[in-house]
Amino acid sequence: MARIGISQYDVEKAYKSLTSQGVNNPSIDAIRAELGNTGSKTTISKYLKDIKKTRTNGTLTEVKVSDAIGHLVSQLAARLNAEANKTIEDMEQAFENERQAWNQEKSGLEESLSQATEQNKALSENIHSLQAKLNTASRESEQLNIELQGIQSDLKELTAVCRQKDERIIDLEKSLQHSYDNLSHFRESAKEQRDQQERKHAEEVSGLRAEQRKLGQTIASQQSELTQLNRQNAELITEKRLLAKSQRELQNSLKTLTEKVQSASTDREELLAQLDAITKENNELNTSVVQLEHEIEELKSPKKLAKNRK
């Protein structure tokens, strides 16, 4: 710990020490060196003059007890003053440290506030942008719903047309079957009559031939009607295929629009469920059409015709 100031007592003690070592009239520098190089030369010079004044017959007067007490009091006061100054300095340093820390914290908070303000501004801009996109998506969704309703209406009309065509095909198939039955009946009748006429007399041959010609004309008429029915049936099958192709194209368009509706709004689940039901019904209709076509092809096959003729 550094020495706190010097007193006259210290200077006098150093003076006595130097004189006892044989140093006569010690200088200020010598006394300062004896004090451990402490104290100012001005203070040492002042105390040294007072000490020299008190010298009598070459010796120093004894320091009075009151001077020693005064020295201790001054030394204690100096120490207390130094400690008080040290405490004040520590408090000032602590306050300065706290002030710097507070300033740093304040700067950090101001920077955080600035960043938060910027983020809030960016978020507000994002919200406005998202709101604009949402409005656009809503308008697109409404337009897609309108288009979807139009396609559904077209699909219903096409389904009704397909149903009518199916009914027409069924009627034609019934007519075709009826013609086949009539033809078989005429052939059987002709065969029976021919068998009967073969057992009759030769004079009845001419009448039989006339009746055969009549039956032949009837068969030709029935065959012509059957050919006409087959032609109409082929035209209906071709038209049915074209309608099925149009239906598939509408289904593809419907599927594309459905995907757009799904991306625009997840609230269209009920509409999609209805669309799936319509698609399923169309698939069932296509299956029925394929089955009818298959049955018609079977009816038109040579084996089936040969079987019916028998």
Side-chain angles (χ1 to χ4, degrees), residues 44 78 103 108 111 169 268 290:
I44 294 173
N103 288 332
E111 184 178 358
I169 289 173
R268 303 300 186 272
V290 172

Side-chain angles (χ1 to χ4, degrees), residues 11 27 75-76 79 81 90 95 102 116 139 141 146 150 153 156 168 207 225 231 249 254 265 282 293 306:
V11 176
S27 64
Q75 188 175 17
L76 180 60
R79 184 180 298 274
N81 186 36
D90 292 341
F95 175 77
W102 183 84
R139 289 192 296 271
S141 177
I146 294 173
S153 178
K156 289 180 180 179
R168 178 60 178 165
E225 183 179 356
R231 186 180 297 109
E249 292 176 355
L254 184 61
S265 175
N282 289 332
E293 289 178 352

Side-chain angles (χ1 to χ4, degrees), residues 255-277:
K255 182 179 179 181
T256 301
L257 288 174
T258 301
E259 292 175 352
K260 290 182 180 181
V261 170
Q262 287 176 345
S263 63
S265 175
T266 58
D267 294 334
R268 303 300 186 272
E269 294 180 358
E270 182 178 359
L271 181 60
L272 291 176
Q274 296 177 0
L275 183 60
D276 290 338

